[in-house]
Amino acid sequence: MAEIIQNDGTWTFDGDAVRIVPGRDKGVGLLRRTLGEVSVPLAALAGASYEPGRKSGRLRLRLREGADPLLQVTGGKLDDSSDPYTLTVETKAAGVAEYFVDEVRNALLLDQVPTGPVDRYLLPGPALPMTVGAGDGTASFDGRTVRLEWTWHTDEVKTGSGPAVLALEELHAVEWQPARGLVDGHLRFVSSPNAPRVPAGRDPHAVELNGFKKDPLMALLASAVVVRMPHPNAAAPELVPAPGAKALEAAAAPAAEDHDVLLRRLRELGELHRSGILTDEEFTLAKQAVLKRL
């Protein structure tokens, strides 16, 4: 087992997973403190590295693409204080950090863990229900419905129609963009790939973020939604057209393919339930919906 204890947090590796517990140092961002303890399975890891510095170094975990819903949402835009997979290491502990990296790398080699993308989330995301107030609104998510409520300084275009309520199955994508300098960020819920894009301050399906302390928490809420949506790397069913005499058989192929897709969806729901991503109630409702379509 390898363990490194710093003011920034404690990382422990037992050969199967890296357990990350954030510290209480002032450099630990609100996102990391709110997210709390994270367990990263070995199968979700692509690598580890240590970057030495004059006063302190950085220990980093690199996750496989698509393994973590938080990284899927933030796309490398988190700063070090908010990134749960970055640990500030005192110079005197550099040797411990390097040993930690060696242990993770050796385990990845021994278990022959691929470094490529995955087609399902391997981390469950934050606990629900969740409510975050930042920027010009408050976003809530209970596992089935996103609700956006507005503050006193929200644009009238958004407040005029009251709170926005979006069912999970209506969503096409979730976008999070942090504020940068004088440019505001946003948390946007997209219902269609062709939906018109307007500034977040006037979009009733978006919260405008102004760069304040609680803004990163909107990324946490976004990850809680994304982990319950179809995975972007999941394989889509392929229909192979048949020529000539097999035309009628080809016409019937989509129905058979749909049946296979639904059976695969049932298996995916079972995996999400066993890993804790779906609650008992969420699993039951989702399973019933799929069974009705079979």
Side-chain angles (χ1 to χ4, degrees), residues 247-277:
L248 292 177
E249 182 182 346
E257 191 70 33
D258 287 344
H259 185 270
D260 292 340
V261 171
L262 293 173
L263 289 177
R264 185 165 63 249
R265 180 58 178 159
L266 281 175
R267 290 194 293 270
E268 291 174 352
L269 290 172
E271 292 177 359
L272 292 173
H273 182 236
R274 285 191 294 273
S275 63
I277 294 176

Side-chain angles (χ1 to χ4, degrees), residues 54-94:
R54 292 183 61 185
K55 295 184 178 180
S56 62
R58 292 286 188 276
L59 180 59
R60 299 184 190 274
L61 289 181
R62 183 164 56 89
L63 273 63
R64 297 171 65 186
E65 180 189 331
D68 180 26
L70 177 61
L71 296 185
Q72 187 70 32
V73 167
T74 55
K77 292 174 284 195
L78 287 176
D79 57 35
D80 284 350
S81 69
S82 297
D83 186 350
Y85 307 116
T86 297
L87 182 72
T88 301
V89 178
E90 298 174 0
T91 303
K92 62 183 180 181

Side-chain angles (χ1 to χ4, degrees), residues 17-64:
V18 177
R19 178 172 171 261
I20 297 174
V21 179
R24 297 183 179 180
D25 188 74
K26 63 180 180 180
V28 180
L30 182 59
L31 185 154
R32 286 169 61 194
R33 296 200 303 270
T34 304
L35 179 61
E37 181 179 325
V38 177
S39 180
V40 185
L42 185 64
L45 291 174
S49 63
Y50 174 65
E51 305 163 2
R54 292 183 61 185
K55 295 184 178 180
S56 62
R58 292 286 188 276
L59 180 59
R60 299 184 190 274
L61 289 181
R62 183 164 56 89
L63 273 63
R64 297 171 65 186

